[in-house]
Amino acid sequence: LSLARTGRRPGPSSTREQILAAARRLFAERGYDGASVRAIAREADVDPSLVLQFFGSKAALLGAAVEWPFDPDEQLPKYFADGRRNVGRRLVDAFLRTWDAEGTRDPILTLLGAAMTEPHAAALLREFLRVRLYGPLMERLRSDQPDVRFELVAAQLVGLGMARYVLRFEPLASAPRSDVVEWVGPAVQRYLTGKLG
Amino acid sequence: LSLARTGRRPGPSSTREQILAAARRLFAERGYDGASVRAIAREADVDPSLVLQFFGSKAALLGAAVEWPFDPDEQLPKYFADGRRNVGRRLVDAFLRTWDAEGTRDPILTLLGAAMTEPHAAALLREFLRVRLYGPLMERLRSDQPDVRFELVAAQLVGLGMARYVLRFEPLASAPRSDVVEWVGPAVQRYLTGKLG
């Protein structure tokens, strides 16, 4: 993931990369709603039809810009397989599965690292979470204070990812996924559906 | 905080800075127990007596190397003012007080950011947490699985700090400290003293 204004050198995939670089800039600067496909195409110096040809939709382009490793629209319904009572554990399990696979973990950690020093990267991540995860997840739950609840879950998962994969705390880093799900799942469940106090 | 091998240019405080740079390197490379005051002094090219003159003790030198903004030995007993039942809330409140003050937040965030790309920074942070916070906190609690519990608390607090101060999720970033304590305190309390599953 590169947020620098200078893109990669032209190559076989340079059009796709140009569009992604333009999308990262505009989503971060104007927000998801404020950055039209037309504006992104103009910024990338390509025809707007090419943007949709490469990525299918503006929402999918946002996912590609963040290099998010799974499609939330496809995954989220699975977390509600037995109603809302296990969604905390299922969410933790899904994140651990994603992160335990090194290839899919790295883009998120790169983005998190960039977000620490680069406000545009933080804005891009916020937009992705808001558009692609917040709505689909919290609309199903119908809890009070959905915005705060979602942010508390995101905070918990970011911290878990940092501790297990970046700071590599032991024994947490080497613990079986099923143990971590039992430890952290109930905290996430409370944030999603419990009494917040 | 600089972890680079090349220190600052010599100046009025260059001896202190030389010792800190040497301490950061050796604590990260050898761990706290493996890095003697004598070895740190040798690495900094100063007399060992000067290390203790500047910092008082090896433990205090570790705190200074991490630029930790408060003395854990002084703060931790306060969290147990009414036994172990409110220690989760008190710990969250103390961290938020520290982070809400920008000057004391920055060194920790700088270290976290460095830890994302620099394994030595991650090792330095782990050593600090293990030596200065883990022992004093978990010995008082006498819970089972103290090592996992401590890491889950650290993960939760790291994530809370990232979400509130770096990613700046709203409304979490602007919420009054007392609200955040009510939201996150019970999760930390469970990690410290509750059933882990």
Side-chain angles (χ1 to χ4, degrees):
Chain A
L1 180 87
S2 167
L3 291 155
R5 280 218 161 235
T6 52
R8 289 192 191 175
R9 67 182 189 283
S13 62
S14 67
T15 303
R16 190 175 187 281
E17 291 298 326
Q18 272 170 35
I19 297 169
L20 282 173
R24 283 178 194 128
R25 281 197 295 275
L26 267 61
F27 285 144
E29 286 173 12
R30 305 180 187 179
Y32 180 77
D33 300 325
S36 66
V37 168
R38 183 175 299 272
I40 291 166
R42 198 183 313 121
E43 176 88 2
D45 203 19
V46 302
D47 191 84
S49 67
L50 215 54
V51 174
L52 297 178
Q53 191 179 308
F54 268 106
F55 296 98
S57 69
K58 185 173 155 188
L61 174 59
L62 177 60
V66 175
E67 299 189 52
W68 200 258
F70 61 85
D71 180 352
D73 293 340
E74 194 182 291
Q75 292 296 315
L76 281 176
K78 297 182 189 168
Y79 308 158
F80 291 87
D82 47 2
R84 72 211 293 269
R85 72 196 159 85
N86 278 322
V87 67
R89 279 189 176 79
R90 285 174 195 270
L91 199 57
V92 173
D93 185 66
F95 270 80
L96 291 175
R97 278 176 198 276
T98 298
W99 284 331
D100 281 347
E102 201 161 335
T104 58
R105 172 205 323 161
D106 288 348
I108 304 182
L109 294 182
T110 302
L111 184 63
L112 266 182
M116 299 212 56
T117 51
E118 170 56 74
H120 277 191
L124 183 65
L125 183 57
R126 275 198 309 269
E127 282 300 280
F128 175 81
L129 294 174
R130 185 179 69 78
V131 173
R132 301 298 312 276
L133 293 178
Y134 171 77
L137 183 61
M138 300 314 292
E139 272 165 27
R140 282 168 183 272
L141 285 169
R142 305 200 166 280
S143 300
D144 64 332
Q145 297 181 267
D147 45 6
V148 161
R149 289 178 185 277
F150 181 78
E151 292 170 3
L152 291 169
V153 170
Q156 171 66 86
L157 293 176
V158 162
L160 177 61
M162 291 280 296
R164 185 168 160 100
Y165 305 105
V166 178
L167 301 173
R168 294 185 186 281
F169 291 155
E170 291 294 355
L172 182 59
S174 302
R177 188 165 61 232
S178 57
D179 284 356
V180 182
V181 167
E182 287 310 303
W183 298 334
V184 181
V188 170
Q189 183 71 36
R190 172 176 164 270
Y191 288 144
L192 288 172
T193 64
K195 194 165 165 292
L196 273 195
Chain B
L1 181 87
S2 168
L3 290 155
R5 281 224 160 231
T6 51
R8 289 191 190 175
R9 68 182 188 284
S13 62
S14 67
T15 303
R16 190 174 187 281
E17 290 300 326
Q18 273 172 36
I19 296 170
L20 282 173
R24 285 179 191 125
R25 283 197 295 274
L26 266 60
F27 285 144
E29 286 174 11
R30 306 181 188 178
Y32 180 77
D33 300 325
S36 65
V37 168
R38 182 176 299 270
I40 291 167
R42 198 183 312 122
E43 176 88 2
D45 203 18
V46 302
D47 191 85
S49 67
L50 216 54
V51 175
L52 297 179
Q53 190 179 311
F54 269 104
F55 296 97
S57 68
K58 185 173 156 187
L61 174 61
L62 177 61
V66 175
E67 299 190 50
W68 199 259
F70 61 84
D71 180 353
D73 294 339
E74 194 182 292
Q75 292 295 317
L76 282 176
K78 298 180 188 169
Y79 308 158
F80 291 88
D82 47 3
R84 72 211 291 268
R85 72 197 159 85
N86 277 322
V87 67
R89 281 188 175 80
R90 285 173 194 271
L91 198 56
V92 174
D93 185 66
F95 269 81
L96 291 175
R97 278 176 197 275
T98 298
W99 283 331
D100 281 347
E102 200 161 335
T104 56
R105 173 203 324 158
D106 288 349
I108 303 182
L109 294 182
T110 303
L111 184 62
L112 266 182
M116 300 213 56
T117 53
E118 170 58 74
H120 276 190
L124 183 64
L125 183 57
R126 276 199 307 270
E127 282 300 281
F128 175 81
L129 294 174
R130 185 179 70 77
V131 173
R132 300 300 311 277
L133 292 178
Y134 171 77
L137 183 61
M138 300 314 292
E139 272 166 25
R140 279 167 185 274
L141 285 169
R142 307 200 163 279
S143 300
D144 64 331
Q145 296 180 268
D147 45 5
V148 161
R149 291 178 183 275
F150 181 77
E151 292 170 4
L152 291 168
V153 170
Q156 171 67 86
L157 293 176
V158 162
L160 177 61
M162 293 279 296
R164 184 167 161 101
Y165 305 104
V166 178
L167 302 173
R168 294 185 185 280
F169 291 154
E170 291 293 353
L172 182 60
S174 303
R177 188 166 61 231
S178 58
D179 285 357
V180 183
V181 168
E182 286 310 304
W183 298 334
V184 181
V188 171
Q189 183 71 37
R190 173 178 163 270
Y191 287 144
L192 288 173
T193 63
K195 196 166 164 293
L196 274 195

